Amino acid sequence: MKFETPAGANPIDRLKIVGQPLDRIDGPLKTTGTAPYAYERHDVVADPAYGHVVGAGIAKGRIARMDLAAARRAPGVIAIVTAQNAGRLDKGSHNTAKLLGGPQIEHYHQAVALVVAETFEQARAAAELVHIDYAVESGVFDLEAAKGAASQPGEKSSSGPAETHFGNFASAFAQAPVTLDATYTTPDHSHAMMEPHASLASWDGDRLTVWTSNQMIAWANADLAKSLGISKDKVRVVSPFVGGGFGGKLFLRADVLLAALGARAAGRPVKVALHRPLIANNTTHRPATIQRIRIGARPDGVITALAHESWSGDLKDGRPETAVNQSRLLYAGANRMTAMRLAVLDLPEGNSMRAPGEAPGMMALEIAMDEMAEKLGLDPVAFRIRNDTQVDPEKPGRPFSARPFIQCLRLGAETFGWSARHARPGQRRDGQWLIGLGMAAAFRNNLLVKSGARVRLDASGRVTVETDMTDIGTGSYTIIGQTAAEMMGVPIDKVTVRLGDSQFPVSAGSGGQFGANNATAGVYAACMKLREAIAQKLGFNSEDVDFVDGEVRAGNRSVSLGAAAADGEITAEDAIEYGDLDRKYQQSTFGAHFAEVAVDAATGETRIRRMLAVCAAGRILNPKSARSQVIGAMTMGAGAALMEALAVDTSRGFFVNHDLAGYEVPVHADIPHQEVIFLDETDPISSPMKAKGVGELGICGVGAALANAVYNATGVRVREYPMTLDKYLDRLPDVA
């Protein structure tokens, strides 16, 4: 189904079920511990063996000698897989050949062997007996040191152009009466999801099934098949529940490939879970950035020049962190320049993490906007409103499909009590605590992705939806069920939703904030086709028919929905496609974050007191699950602002704090009351659902809002994240 802006009635617009804050379909399974996660699939195979991954002990070099003798003699050992005996592994579209290293080592903890044994404990013990001699090579592990050698990334490796120019930035900046030129840094971040990367693999002759934790089923299916040199129809990937991913499970990782290789070598099913240190060093992470932002403006606050440059690092042939993307679209400005530079680092792979690009990019841009507002003597909210734009600043002929950015700012300011903020920092105290208010814009693009589904109706009137869409804790089961129920006129308890199986139609998958809108639109398309088939079966004119309360109605005639399937199930399958809509219109989501912090004037301890997010993301399909997404994102943003950082050993090339004891994330005591407001907005250009994504919008700008609040409290500007007290303690005002 090709989506075009609808002119007539849309069944979704009834909003009897869609748009309602329904409880999650999967809630009972998760609260009772019966949701079938990958490593816990006791019901699908008999007598599985266990694999334990051996990670490389160096960051760069080669394996000179690997001695497996002692490991092979260890109790319970069934097989050991290495690059030498794994057979040829083809390079998948996401460079899966790197998932099993040897003899060349490309990064620390790159998988070099899998030890398979009868029990997990036996596999782990035997893995400790694998002895490896390395020929170590020197590597580059420090982004600051490598910055000078960074180069422009190739177009294929970046989202959007590596460099853009509009107008004449250099001239306009030089002539601007008020200017800012500042550099900001963000560190490497770990996804730190609750469920580790885990897989269970089983062969049946030449056919492979893997139960895994993966966000993008079709990608995993294609890459696994290509890596193993078999056809996609001989590989089945199943992932009905994912215990967190945040982008770290977008791509095939070592656990999946090694489970498949281990099962083939052992001749029986094999389970593999990556232990926590390998999640940091073996899988992907958000790469560190160095960002330079220059802004020039007239005295009245109108921006005349805007430049945003970002440096990040990755392995050879890697990709940059696209931290400048939002700066191409968020604010007006007649003269503009953005650039990304990529340094080759011998660290683990940098790749997508929640709101890749915008999350770290706005941590810099939105501090810069506050710094510029102060120079101009303007309120930060007013400064942003003054530089709003209704068209793409780099393509003035392309309007935004919807852009209620100013409404978000104004509503947030009013709700939060922004008028009580002191423009001069350090003016408000509560005993020994310095109190400050901060805000920042929120922005994330809305991506249109083809997405398919299959819908079946049986004689009892039950509707079953099948799509390979995944639920990574986001509520996919529920919003897909709501969509089918609304379209077919049945209560949600008459809908069965089946997700996360490569035997189902290919969906958008879970990533990039595009899952909810596109996946439900794909279900909409399949339901439209099913409605036509049912109307035809019952002899109705499909243009006049309505589906409501479990019946099919037209004029004075009504028939129970199940009657259409009395002779057998009726099935329909379709996918949503968008043509050139995203080229005609810039589609984005907008918001505003507000925060109040308290900083202890003696110790530098920072406490968040209040947080507010105002979000404009099209129709909200389920306000309850959407709020959950946003407060989770706000919490991640708070972690990035105040505590999260992977510490790099720049001599040996690995992340030192590679577990949840050393990699600090927020806990309940760190997070105060969080308020979320969704604008009452629909965007008819985004999809037939008139929705957009919201799960990543909630993190974009949070870090800067907190940084701006800390500055307002203390008068100390910190441009290096996270804002740990060592970066500002000696600059705090004296305790009165």
Side-chain angles (χ1 to χ4, degrees), residues 330-350:
L330 186 51
Y331 297 115
N335 303 280
R336 319 170 65 83
M337 184 272 282
T338 68
M340 292 182 287
R341 297 291 180 262
L342 181 63
V344 176
L345 296 179
D346 301 302
L347 290 172
E349 179 185 347

Side-chain angles (χ1 to χ4, degrees), residues 150-155 157-164 290 308-312 319-325 328 337-343 357:
S151 60
Q152 181 172 302
E155 293 296 324
S157 66
S158 65
S159 299
E163 190 167 317
T164 63
I290 300 170
H308 190 168
E309 299 168 271
S310 176
W311 290 260
S312 60
R319 49 175 263 174
E321 178 69 18
T322 55
V324 304
N325 278 358
R328 295 170 176 160
M337 184 272 282
T338 68
M340 292 182 287
R341 297 291 180 262
L342 181 63

Side-chain angles (χ1 to χ4, degrees), residues 64-98:
R65 176 175 171 268
M66 182 183 291
D67 186 352
L68 304 176
R72 287 195 173 111
R73 292 194 300 268
V77 171
I78 302 168
I80 300 178
V81 176
T82 69
Q84 286 188 315
N85 62 19
R88 178 179 174 180
L89 298 176
D90 289 331
K91 179 180 179 181
S93 60
H94 297 106
N95 212 6
T96 53
K98 294 183 178 180

Side-chain angles (χ1 to χ4, degrees), residues 36-124:
Y37 290 92
Y39 202 74
E40 303 163 343
R41 294 305 299 262
H42 308 296
D43 57 326
V44 291
V45 298
D47 194 28
Y50 294 80
H52 192 83
V53 177
V54 178
I58 64 170
K60 187 175 183 181
R62 60 189 307 277
I63 296 173
R65 176 175 171 268
M66 182 183 291
D67 186 352
L68 304 176
R72 287 195 173 111
R73 292 194 300 268
V77 171
I78 302 168
I80 300 178
V81 176
T82 69
Q84 286 188 315
N85 62 19
R88 178 179 174 180
L89 298 176
D90 289 331
K91 179 180 179 181
S93 60
H94 297 106
N95 212 6
T96 53
K98 294 183 178 180
L99 298 182
L100 179 59
Q104 200 65 32
I105 301 301
E106 299 197 19
H107 63 84
Y108 187 81
H109 269 174
Q110 183 178 16
V112 294
L114 179 76
V115 178
V116 180
E118 295 287 349
T119 69
F120 167 76
E121 291 80 8
Q122 288 174 330
R124 181 177 59 183

Side-chain angles (χ1 to χ4, degrees), residues 336-542:
R336 319 170 65 83
M337 184 272 282
T338 68
M340 292 182 287
R341 297 291 180 262
L342 181 63
V344 176
L345 296 179
D346 301 302
L347 290 172
E349 179 185 347
N351 216 312
S352 298
M353 181 171 164
R354 195 171 196 168
E358 285 96 337
M362 297 193 74
M363 290 171 78
L365 175 67
E366 288 299 291
I367 293 182
M369 288 294 289
D370 258 42
E371 293 196 58
M372 194 64 180
E374 184 177 46
K375 284 193 169 202
L376 291 161
L378 291 174
D379 176 82
V381 173
F383 179 48
R384 288 167 172 84
I385 290 174
R386 188 160 300 179
N387 288 284
D388 184 43
T389 175
Q390 294 299 309
V391 297
D392 180 341
E394 295 183 4
K395 300 174 183 176
R398 186 172 72 148
F400 285 87
S401 61
R403 188 184 162 104
F405 178 43
I406 291 177
Q407 293 94 309
C408 293
L409 294 169
R410 286 178 171 159
L411 179 59
E414 179 183 358
T415 304
F416 199 72
W418 183 253
S419 61
R421 171 185 176 271
H422 292 274
R424 183 182 171 193
Q427 299 304 298
R428 184 179 164 199
R429 288 194 176 220
D430 181 2
Q432 195 162 291
W433 295 94
L434 304 167
I435 310 300
L437 301 184
M439 62 79 54
F443 174 91
R444 173 74 176 167
N445 274 332
N446 181 58
L447 303 178
L448 301 180
V449 181
K450 179 180 178 180
S451 190
R454 181 164 54 238
V455 189
R456 296 187 281 112
L457 172 70
D458 67 18
S460 71
R462 174 162 291 279
V463 176
T464 299
V465 184
E466 296 172 334
T467 171
D468 81 352
M469 180 64 183
T470 49
D471 192 317
I472 59 175
T474 48
S476 298
Y477 278 99
T478 309
I479 59 173
I480 284 173
Q482 288 177 268
T483 303
E486 192 81 79
M487 291 294 295
M488 303 311 300
V490 298
I492 196 167
D493 60 7
K494 292 285 284 184
V495 178
T496 298
V497 181
R498 302 178 66 195
L499 301 180
D501 192 325
S502 60
Q503 293 185 337
F504 299 157
V506 175
S507 72
S510 295
Q513 193 178 273
F514 53 64
N517 180 42
N518 292 289
T520 54
V523 174
Y524 171 98
C527 286
M528 287 296 289
K529 184 171 281 190
L530 182 61
R531 286 163 60 107
E532 293 174 4
I534 291 170
Q536 184 177 9
K537 184 73 179 289
L538 296 176
F540 285 100
N541 183 335
S542 61

